[in-house]
Amino acid sequence: EPTTNAIDDTTIFVGTHYHDFLNRQADTTAGSATNASGYQRAFVRPPAGPLKDIGSLGGNTAEAYDINGSGQVVGASEASGGGSLDDRAFIWQSDTMQALTATWGTPVRADGINEAGLVVGSATHNTSGTHAFLWKDTNGNGQSDPGEVNIFGNSGGSRGSS
């Protein structure tokens, strides 16, 4: 049994959403922690509840990088246990983790999500290296559909879309 609060553990990265910023009333926390098997796992924690492992995209590890007020969590997960070269960006919502996909390449890390549900991160383009991406669920189905992940070049200008 640990003698310290899990939040004090240096292996945990914590991101907290505050539903009332002025009073600093925490809503839900998201982050990553090392499990008993030694793997980094993404978690959510409601204000009065235990850590909940939110799963992976088939691999051993997953890390959560941001959470918004709707409880949507974004991060990176191994897709099939193949290591960091097999990482995929994800969004977790309604107790389901889903990979963000694109026809032009592979979104590998989702770094942030805002209150409107817009996701930003980095992606590997099939022919031109690593670029920033923006995902917007334009049809509102909660899934990554063709045309919803846009890639941006180093200068911030649009380079195309899926």
Side-chain angles (χ1 to χ4, degrees):
E1 194 70 32
T3 58
T4 61
N5 184 317
I7 235 50
D8 297 326
D9 187 332
T10 59
T11 63
I12 295 177
F13 165 83
V14 177
T16 301
H17 178 267
Y18 293 94
H19 62 84
D20 183 350
F21 184 74
L22 295 176
N23 291 325
R24 302 287 295 174
Q25 296 174 353
D27 188 9
T28 300
T29 300
S32 303
T34 304
N35 68 11
S37 298
Y39 295 112
Q40 275 296 111
R41 299 295 291 193
F43 70 82
V44 294
R45 181 178 184 204
L51 296 180
K52 175 184 177 182
D53 186 329
I54 62 173
S56 75
L57 296 171
N60 293 319
T61 66
E63 295 183 63
Y65 300 128
D66 200 11
I67 185 170
N68 69 10
S70 298
Q72 296 172 301
V73 176
V74 296
S77 173
E78 282 182 319
S80 60
S84 63
L85 295 177
D86 198 27
D87 283 354
R88 299 292 182 266
F90 73 79
I91 183 167
W92 181 85
Q93 55 192 353
S94 305
D95 285 333
T96 302
M97 184 181 287
Q98 178 192 357
L100 298 181
T101 60
T103 57
W104 46 257
T106 305
V108 294
R109 180 180 166 129
D111 292 304
I113 185 167
N114 68 10
E115 297 308 313
L118 297 175
V119 177
V120 295
S122 59
T124 303
H125 192 276
N126 290 334
T127 60
S128 62
T130 302
H131 297 277
F133 76 83
L134 170 70
W135 176 73
K136 180 179 181 183
D137 186 13
T138 55
N139 64 9
N141 69 354
Q143 299 178 12
S144 178
D145 298 310
E148 291 183 338
V149 176
N150 295 307
I151 190 168
F152 298 94
N154 294 333
S155 65
S158 177
R159 288 193 54 126
S161 62
S162 63

